[in-house]
Amino acid sequence: MKDILYIVVPCYNEEEVLLETSKRLEEKLNQLIRMDMISLESRIVFVNDGSKDSTWDMIESLHDSNPLISGINLSKNRGHQNALLAGLLTSKEHADLVISMDADLQDDINAVDEMIEKYYQGCDIVYGVRSAREKDTMFKRFTAQSFYKVMNMLGAKVVYNHADYRLMSKKALEGLENFKEVNLFLRGLVPMLGFKTDIVTYERSERFAGESKYPLKKMFALAFEGITSLSTVPIKMITRLGIGIFFISILMLIYSVGQYFRGETVVGWSSLIVSIWAIGGLILFSIGIIGEYIGKVYLETKNRPRFIIDSFINTTQPKEQTEQDQTRQRV
């Protein structure tokens, strides 16, 4: 009997694309079942992250008409990363392997085949990595590439050109469940698990419909979340900056004393004001960075739930019935 696959798809206001996404994923799931790569008990799990449109109503309707489609409804909007985690950890109880992807159809669904092949070859984590960004605008390409470079430079180690399109085995998900932090950045947490990993490259398509849920503002917020959640490099940079400014002040003191004995002392109002504003700005910036870390520690100590599931609709077949169906399908 083949392993059970769950495909987890976080959704926030995705009514424009949901029908097409469910159609393509259903076709892919049925194809994989016919190829005997996965079990008949495999499912597509849409996670409704507190959508304000009719996304959840559509998920319920899809489930009623097709048992291959399941749905998780969160009690309120918790953000993409928390919604994704809710889908992963809930699916872990039913599946042997889980693939996560976005609902916008930009990730190549056909890459799923190669991911599953690598899973059967012994990989516990398989990353979907974009092979190129030709279809992105120059600005989008620059900001995206800068995102990955800055993240790695500041200590948040992530897989280059990888978002949240990945396969994880049950063992990998059990490892992920041990990470209890409230400030989630899965792109940085998953590489910390270890285990055997591999990558599958694919060409990213344009969004099928609707608007991107990650505009530039949210990308900056996500990068900042990842850096401050996974790395102490910014605090170390503040320390080095303070030491550097201290040595510069000593040099300026030596220079001022030298100018005084040469009789060339000039009272410089402009330079004084600039120095005050520069040092003051650096101090406030440094306090802000430290404050962000203190705020995250504050949230972690509260140990609040990362998500609350309002309902989970899922149809599973008895194991005996599934085996009979598979036997009939092979015949």
Side-chain angles (χ1 to χ4, degrees), residues 121-319:
Q121 291 169 10
C123 293
D124 288 294
I125 302 171
V126 182
Y127 299 106
V129 176
R130 302 169 199 173
S131 57
R133 286 183 173 270
E134 278 77 10
K135 294 182 180 180
D136 291 344
T137 63
M138 185 177 295
F139 178 76
K140 174 66 176 177
R141 193 180 309 124
F142 171 77
T143 54
Q145 291 173 345
S146 299
F147 169 81
Y148 292 105
K149 291 177 181 178
V150 170
M151 291 288 290
N152 282 284
M153 182 181 69
L154 294 181
K157 302 302 181 184
V158 294
V159 178
Y160 188 71
N161 266 344
H162 163 72
D164 288 300
Y165 188 24
R166 70 178 75 87
L167 177 149
M168 298 183 70
S169 68
K170 183 185 285 286
K171 181 170 70 172
L173 289 170
E174 287 171 348
L176 180 64
E177 194 172 20
N178 292 324
F179 289 82
K180 302 298 183 182
E181 53 252 56
V182 175
N183 303 285
L184 272 180
F185 184 68
L186 292 175
R187 301 182 198 183
L189 287 181
V190 174
M192 295 172 64
L193 293 173
F195 300 122
K196 184 178 179 180
T197 66
D198 206 337
I199 66 169
V200 170
T201 57
Y202 68 96
E203 186 174 345
R204 190 168 171 83
S205 305
E206 295 180 2
R207 185 180 176 88
F208 178 77
E211 297 180 354
S212 172
K213 302 304 184 292
Y214 268 103
L216 184 60
K217 181 181 178 181
K218 282 196 174 183
M219 285 296 293
F220 276 120
L222 181 66
F224 193 72
E225 179 75 25
I227 292 166
T228 53
S229 297
L230 301 173
S231 172
T232 58
V233 170
I235 290 182
K236 294 177 181 177
M237 289 176 65
I238 290 173
T239 303
R240 297 183 187 125
L241 180 63
I243 293 172
I245 292 175
F246 173 73
F247 279 111
I248 291 173
S249 67
I250 292 177
L251 292 175
M252 290 302 297
L253 176 63
I254 295 171
Y255 173 77
S256 300
V257 172
Q259 291 292 88
Y260 173 78
F261 283 109
R262 291 173 60 185
E264 298 178 1
T265 304
V266 177
V267 178
W269 183 86
S270 298
S271 59
L272 179 63
I273 293 299
V274 169
S275 299
I276 292 173
W277 278 93
I279 300 299
L282 287 172
I283 291 172
L284 290 174
F285 174 74
S286 302
I287 292 173
I289 293 291
I290 295 170
E292 286 289 334
Y293 279 93
I294 294 173
K296 290 184 182 297
V297 172
Y298 169 73
L299 291 174
E300 295 291 346
T301 56
K302 285 182 173 292
N303 198 28
R304 290 173 176 168
R306 293 171 290 188
F307 55 84
I308 297 175
I309 295 177
D310 178 61
S311 56
F312 177 35
I313 49 176
N314 189 33
T315 302
T316 57
Q317 293 176 288
K319 186 175 181 181

Side-chain angles (χ1 to χ4, degrees), residues 26 29-30 33 40-45 63 66-70 315:
E26 182 187 347
L29 208 62
N30 283 322
I33 292 171
L40 272 171
E41 294 182 74
S42 300
R43 296 290 181 267
I44 303 161
V45 183
H63 169 73
N66 187 352
L68 284 178
I69 296 176
S70 300
T315 302

